[in-house]
Amino acid sequence: MDSRSPKTQSPSQQLGISVDQLLKLDHLALLHLDGELQLRGFNEQASVIFRLLETDIGNPIGTIPGLGAQQSFQDSIRQDQSGHVHFEFEGRLLKATAIALSASETDAAGIILFIKDITDYHQPMKRLLFALNAAFMNWWEWNLVVDHARVHTDNHQATLLGFDSHELPKTRKDWEEMVHPDDREYVLNNLETCLSGDDSQWFCECRMKTVDGGWIWVDIRGTVTRCNREGRPLEMMGTAQDIDTSKRAQIDIRSYTNLLQQAGEIAKLGTWEYYPENGSLEWSRQTRKILGVDFAYEPSPEGFHELLAPDDAERARKAFEQALEDGTDFDLQLSCVNHKQEPLIIRYTSKTRFDLLGKLVRVTGIIQDITGQAGEMEE
């Protein structure tokens, strides 16, 4: 029995192909370690990327102009979770996969380094993340089979809630705990409607807990991206956007509007808006109430003037035309009979609005029922 150890296979024997065949593969450079990293060979694609010459073969990579200093080259390499090596070279993003080789009688110990330019593949994703960050948005994906959620950011930047991406919850239960208690039922009902197959889209606005314990409004949108044969959702993807500023402003506006409506009801005061560009007139709810019409009624300047006493109708018509002609505002007291045949004394005012070029774009004003006030003034 032969007690000699088996010979170590050469690189070509280990891979089942020759070195010449290796050099024909996509973006390949052969390197080997012999005290320091040296260039052993390269193919045309590697030559284009690093501007390599035949005279560079056998030299330490730190002495090769196309690769630059050895230390800076090595420092630029970083290992990601997939086990591949990524590094940047002159603005290009390269992906490398290294295969370690044992020493043999004919070959020195070293590595074969498969290098591929993935800049064009990476740029769309990088630009997408830039765009999402600019819009205060994060992109997320959720594997429903193993109940694992992941939020994507650029270079592990802080997410909308202030956490680093790796600090965020991974499971549905933990995510549910981050939703404001008052919004949780609404959010979960929307989600279940999506997961049950009634709707492939998920949309909700809710408050979520931030890293400092506060709450911000977030717009969440998702879609089912993969299902099994029975139609059961297996995966979802979507976005989350910070809408806290606009949502709080919306709530404030709604509250302010309600307050104005209450004040208008007390003062029997409504508003109107006229747009000269298309000749449309809008009346507020209180204005319609004063003039005795419902929301189906389509207002017009002529229709309003017909409700006025003849002399007052002429005054109002001329004042309105003058406002449209030169922007002169008016403040009139008029007698009218509304659509419910109720005699009223109303106050009718205007305020003109111009754009930066001096063009009249809107006329606004009030219509106020001052019937009781007018009687008191007469007494």
Side-chain angles (χ1 to χ4, degrees), residues 77-96:
I77 297 177
R78 54 186 173 82
Q79 189 81 17
D80 70 14
Q81 295 178 351
S82 67
H84 298 290
V85 177
H86 291 72
F87 61 93
E88 292 186 5
F89 180 79
E90 296 188 349
R92 308 298 294 177
L93 182 63
L94 306 180
K95 179 179 179 179

Side-chain angles (χ1 to χ4, degrees), residues 10-62:
S10 67
S12 59
Q13 291 173 324
Q14 290 180 356
L15 298 177
I17 56 177
S18 67
V19 173
D20 289 339
Q21 289 175 313
L22 286 172
L23 290 174
K24 293 179 181 178
L25 297 178
D26 188 28
H27 293 186
L28 171 70
L30 269 75
L31 309 173
H32 76 86
L33 294 169
D34 186 12
E36 58 184 338
L37 199 60
Q38 295 178 339
L39 180 67
R40 179 172 177 179
F42 57 86
N43 64 353
E44 183 177 353
Q45 293 92 332
S47 174
V48 172
I49 294 175
F50 299 111
R51 300 189 298 276
L52 299 174
L53 303 174
E54 291 293 332
T55 54
D56 293 324
I57 295 177
N59 294 331
I61 64 171

Side-chain angles (χ1 to χ4, degrees), residues 267-270 290 345-348 366-370 373:
K268 297 182 179 181
L269 183 151
I290 292 171
I345 304 297
I346 62 172
R347 182 186 179 193
Y348 178 44
I366 66 167
I367 290 178
Q368 183 179 16
D369 179 1
I370 59 171
Q373 299 177 33

Side-chain angles (χ1 to χ4, degrees), residues 97-128:
T97 302
I99 299 179
L101 299 173
S102 302
S104 72
E105 293 181 357
T106 57
D107 293 283
I111 60 171
I112 296 177
L113 189 63
F114 295 85
I115 302 175
K116 190 167 186 177
D117 186 345
I118 61 170
T119 305
D120 293 337
Y121 299 98
H122 180 74
Q123 283 297 338
M125 176 59 68
K126 192 171 184 178
R127 289 173 180 173
L128 171 62

Side-chain angles (χ1 to χ4, degrees), residues 135-192:
F136 302 101
M137 299 176 72
N138 287 154
W139 164 46
W140 57 266
E141 56 182 337
W142 179 21
N143 186 323
L144 282 75
V145 178
V146 297
D147 189 20
H148 181 273
R150 180 185 178 190
V151 176
H152 297 271
T153 60
D154 185 41
N155 294 330
H156 302 289
Q157 290 182 347
T159 57
L160 300 181
L161 304 177
F163 298 93
D164 288 340
S165 57
H166 66 275
E167 297 176 326
L168 287 172
K170 301 296 187 295
T171 66
R172 172 175 174 173
K173 181 180 178 181
D174 291 336
W175 271 108
E176 289 176 1
E177 292 297 322
M178 297 189 68
V179 178
H180 194 285
D182 293 344
D183 302 334
R184 197 168 296 159
E185 182 178 0
Y186 152 74
V187 171
L188 297 183
N189 287 341
N190 278 15
L191 178 59
E192 288 303 324

Side-chain angles (χ1 to χ4, degrees), residues 192-259:
E192 288 303 324
T193 299
C194 180
L195 296 180
S196 65
D198 293 338
D199 193 342
S200 63
Q201 304 290 326
W202 176 37
F203 164 76
C204 66
E205 293 180 353
C206 64
R207 288 161 289 183
M208 299 198 70
K209 185 179 296 184
T210 64
V211 67
D212 59 4
W215 302 95
I216 66 168
W217 282 94
V218 178
D219 179 305
I220 303 176
R221 298 172 185 262
T223 185
V224 175
T225 55
R226 189 163 57 92
C227 297
N228 62 13
R229 292 182 178 180
E230 291 73 34
R232 179 184 175 185
L234 301 177
E235 183 181 70
M236 288 189 69
M237 297 179 67
T239 59
Q241 182 176 23
D242 181 350
I243 58 169
D244 193 64
T245 300
S246 60
K247 187 68 177 181
R248 293 184 186 278
Q250 186 182 65
I251 293 173
D252 289 343
I253 290 174
R254 187 181 298 120
S255 176
Y256 181 64
T257 300
N258 290 336
L259 182 61

